[in-house]
Structures are given as C-alpha cells and as structure tokens.
Amino acid sequence: KSASAFTRMPSSKPLSTISPQSTALMKCDASMKMTNFGIRLYMRQNIVVFTGAGISKESGLSTFRDSDGIWSKYDPDMVATPQGFEADPETALMFYNERRIAVANAVPNHAHIVLAQLEKEHNVTVITQNVDDLHERAGSNNVLHLHG
C-alpha cells in the first residue's frame, strides 16, 4: 500500500514531536488499513550528519590537530604542499603511504555502524571531512566527502 494514502495535517509542532497515532498528524483513507510499515514509511525523516576526524579516531586513525595528532609529527608545509613534495618527495610519499596503510587496516567503529543502521528507518546523508572510507564500509550509502 502506498504511503501517499497518509496525509500530513497542518501543525505547528515538528514532525518528531507528534506521536504516529495522533489524528492531528495523519488521517487514513477509510479504505486502507494503517500498518506499522506504512507508519514507519510515512515517518521517515531526512537526517544530515556532519562528521570529522574524531569519529574515526576510535578506529585507530589519528586526527590532524590533536596534541598527539598527525601535524605534531609532520610539518604540513613539507607533506601537504607541492613545494614540500618538490623539496623532499621521499618524506611526502612516506607520509601518504603511512596514511593509506592506516586507513586500509582500520575498521568502522560503533559510531560508523550506528549511522549506517539509521538508514533502515530514515533518509540519512553523512557529510564528512574524513578522507577514509569507514562510513561506506560500515554500510552508509549517501556519504559526501567535503574537504577544503
């Protein structure tokens, strides 16, 4: 049965504060039975989650700016600029190879998995600054990587 049979009634309250059983929230076409599936489908919410390095730290990936982070061990000008690469390509390559190995060996942690599981009930978009693929490996399908 189609979710279009459920119509949102005008309300000043956000959708999340009104119970699914509330007659102010929805009315059911008299010819259709309201099922749990239909209610869940109707109640799907659009959720956007922003994540950064902190979510992957629990998976063993160092952050960049923590006191013991990556930039405490490497000079960003030497490994993250064309001039640094030109001056010392061996150090720059070692830096990126270490990062690739760390990401390949990391596994999604509980936070990654919970965000992926939210997709079973909601429309979830994850916007992350991370260069790892742990959200995708945890099962998230709508991940936007934003770096600047």
Side-chain angles (χ1 to χ4, degrees), residues 24-44:
L25 174 63
M26 65 185 85
K27 63 181 180 180
C28 181
D29 183 336
S31 65
M32 297 182 67
K33 290 185 179 179
M34 198 178 313
T35 65
N36 284 339
F37 174 77
I39 292 171
R40 284 196 319 270
L41 184 62
Y42 179 78
M43 296 297 294
R44 286 181 75 91

Side-chain angles (χ1 to χ4, degrees), residues 72-119:
S72 70
K73 299 173 183 84
Y74 289 94
D75 177 358
D77 290 331
M78 294 306 296
V79 296
T81 66
Q83 297 81 9
F85 182 81
E86 187 175 310
D88 188 357
E90 187 175 315
T91 298
L93 288 172
M94 182 177 64
F95 168 79
Y96 288 105
N97 286 334
E98 286 175 2
R99 292 285 298 151
R100 280 190 278 273
I101 291 167
V103 169
N105 290 327
V107 295
N109 64 53
H110 186 69
H112 295 108
I113 294 165
V114 167
L115 289 175
Q117 289 174 343
L118 272 176
E119 290 185 15

Side-chain angles (χ1 to χ4, degrees), residues 47-49 51 55 58-59 107-126 134-141 143:
I47 300 172
V48 177
V49 179
T51 67
I55 196 168
E58 192 175 313
S59 293
V107 295
N109 64 53
H110 186 69
H112 295 108
I113 294 165
V114 167
L115 289 175
Q117 289 174 343
L118 272 176
E119 290 185 15
K120 293 177 183 174
E121 298 290 331
H122 303 285
N123 301 315
V124 179
T125 300
V126 175
L134 295 179
H135 286 295
E136 291 88 346
R137 284 196 266 157
S140 289
N141 294 302
V143 181

Side-chain angles (χ1 to χ4, degrees), residues 5-74:
F6 302 98
T7 306
R8 181 134 194 320
M9 299 297 287
S11 172
S12 60
K13 292 183 178 180
L15 185 60
S16 61
T17 64
I18 302 174
S19 71
Q21 295 79 20
S22 172
T23 56
L25 174 63
M26 65 185 85
K27 63 181 180 180
C28 181
D29 183 336
S31 65
M32 297 182 67
K33 290 185 179 179
M34 198 178 313
T35 65
N36 284 339
F37 174 77
I39 292 171
R40 284 196 319 270
L41 184 62
Y42 179 78
M43 296 297 294
R44 286 181 75 91
Q45 295 185 16
N46 296 317
I47 300 172
V48 177
V49 179
F50 292 86
T51 67
I55 196 168
S56 295
K57 185 174 183 175
E58 192 175 313
S59 293
L61 297 179
S62 296
T63 66
F64 284 88
R65 293 184 179 88
D66 280 349
S67 61
D68 62 342
I70 293 169
W71 294 148
S72 70
K73 299 173 183 84
Y74 289 94

